[in-house]
């Protein structure tokens, strides 16, 4: 990144100041910005149909338009619930990282701003999922416990690169959804808020990943690349809960079978992650062992 810092001011501090300024100028209050009062209009999708795990399959062709819309609403709620789960992990990692550090540092102040953003996002996602008439979707118990370990132990570039993966994948999805007039308006508003505010979080995560990797040796990069890849695998594969199909009134066994073999959805995931993979490669975090997990998660 080209430096435009003041004399004696680091690029990291300059980025943090810019993010704080941006947050002051362009932030949203979901309580007032999102239409929570209008009843759910079931003539709309919950997400762009092309992002459905069944889009392009024979099952999708057999479904009625009403079933297709209900499935995308359940899938959107599942993605939101997974987002809440990871945002809670993110908040704890960032808070732990900046514990007892210099509060006059703009990076410290930005970290607290990001945590405040994530709190609002989580409440917004929770209210959105409820309005979509979805149950509380959670990752498998095993994944929840892995997340508990990860949030308590991940540090430095491992924490910030994992944060970046979760944010980037969701960002690409939501950019499509917020522009799609087939998607129910209140979900489009939620997506727009998240995309605008999350762009600052991604900028910070990239900067912190680069900063923490300065001077890192080969072994450290290998270990952290593996940790980030494993975390990425469980984050992405937890986005759509297996129970969405039954809750949408579908044959769960058939739906899961066809979703697992759906090349269209795998292609959507891969295309959404091209920029992310380029960044991980440039940071030295795209190693041969890590590639196995990214391929398994259809991210590359």
């Amino acid at each position: 990144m080209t430096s435009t810092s003041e004399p004696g001011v680091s690029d990291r501090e300059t980025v943090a100041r810019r993010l704080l300024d941006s947050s002051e100028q362009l932030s949203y209050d979901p309580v007032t910005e999102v239409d929570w009062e209008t009843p759910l209009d079931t003539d709309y999708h919950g997400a762009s149909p092309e992002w459905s795990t069944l889009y392009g399959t024979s099952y999708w062709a057999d479904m009625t338009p009403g079933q297709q819309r209900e499935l995308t609403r359940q899938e959107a709620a599942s993605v939101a619930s997974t987002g809440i789960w990871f945002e809670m992990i993110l908040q704890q990692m960032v808070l732990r990282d900046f514990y007892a550090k210099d509060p006059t540092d703009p990076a410290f102040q930005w970290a607290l701003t990001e945590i405040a953003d994530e709190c609002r996002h989580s409440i917004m996602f929770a209210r959105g999922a409820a309005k979509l008439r979805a149950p509380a979707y959670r990752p498998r118990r095993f994944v929840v416990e892995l997340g508990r370990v990860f949030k308590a132990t991940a540090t430095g570039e491992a924490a910030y690169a994992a944060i970046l993966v979760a944010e980037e994948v969701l960002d690409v999805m939501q950019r499509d959804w917020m522009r799609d007039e087939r998607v129910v308006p209140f979900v489009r508003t939620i997506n727009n808020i998240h995309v605008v505010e999350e762009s600052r979080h991604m900028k910070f995560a990239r900067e912190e990943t680069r900063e923490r990797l300065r001077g890192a040796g080969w072994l450290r990069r290998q270990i952290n690349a593996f940790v980030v890849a494993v975390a990425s695998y469980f984050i992405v594969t937890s986005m759509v809960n297996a129970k969405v199909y039954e809750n949408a009134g579908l044959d769960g066994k058939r739906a899961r079978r066809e979703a697992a073999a759906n090349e269209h959805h795998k292609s959507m995931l891969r295309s959404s992650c091209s920029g992310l993979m380029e960044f991980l490669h440039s940071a030295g975090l795209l190693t041969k062992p890590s590639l196995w997990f990214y391929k398994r998660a259809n991210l590359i």
Side-chain angles (χ1 to χ4, degrees), residues 136-238:
Y137 290 114
R138 297 184 182 89
R140 290 169 294 153
R141 182 71 183 185
F142 171 69
V143 179
V144 170
E145 295 307 319
L146 281 180
R148 195 184 304 279
V149 173
F150 184 71
K151 70 180 177 61
T153 59
T155 59
E157 62 271 18
Y160 286 100
I163 288 170
L164 184 63
V165 170
E167 291 174 337
E168 290 257 7
V169 174
L170 192 56
D171 180 73
V172 175
M173 288 184 187
Q174 291 187 324
R175 285 180 185 274
D176 285 348
W177 302 357
M178 74 183 193
R179 293 188 289 258
D180 193 337
E181 294 186 357
R182 296 169 296 176
V183 175
V184 66
F186 84 90
V187 169
R188 294 178 64 193
T189 304
I190 287 173
N191 293 332
N192 183 69
I193 291 172
H194 198 248
V195 163
V196 170
E197 298 186 348
E198 209 70 15
S199 65
R200 296 189 286 260
H201 301 181
M202 290 188 289
K203 176 74 172 176
F204 186 65
R206 285 175 182 258
E207 187 64 24
E208 287 299 302
T209 300
R210 293 191 190 99
E211 181 69 23
R212 306 307 174 91
L213 281 169
R214 292 185 191 277
W218 179 87
L219 180 60
R220 176 174 159 184
R221 288 178 187 269
Q222 291 289 315
I223 293 171
N224 283 312
F226 182 79
V227 170
V228 172
V230 172
S232 302
Y233 171 81
F234 286 111
I235 292 166
V236 172
T237 57
S238 296

Side-chain angles (χ1 to χ4, degrees), residues 157 159-172 202 205-206 209-210 228-229 231-233 235-236 239 269-287 290-291 294 297-300:
E157 62 271 18
Y160 286 100
I163 288 170
L164 184 63
V165 170
E167 291 174 337
E168 290 257 7
V169 174
L170 192 56
D171 180 73
V172 175
M202 290 188 289
R206 285 175 182 258
T209 300
R210 293 191 190 99
V228 172
S232 302
Y233 171 81
I235 292 166
V236 172
M239 282 191 169
L269 285 173
R270 284 192 294 269
S271 64
S272 74
C273 291
S274 57
L276 171 64
M277 293 301 138
E278 288 178 10
F279 172 78
L280 293 177
H281 177 71
S282 69
L285 293 175
L286 202 58
T287 60
S290 70
L291 283 173
Y294 291 123
N298 301 303
L299 298 182
I300 197 169

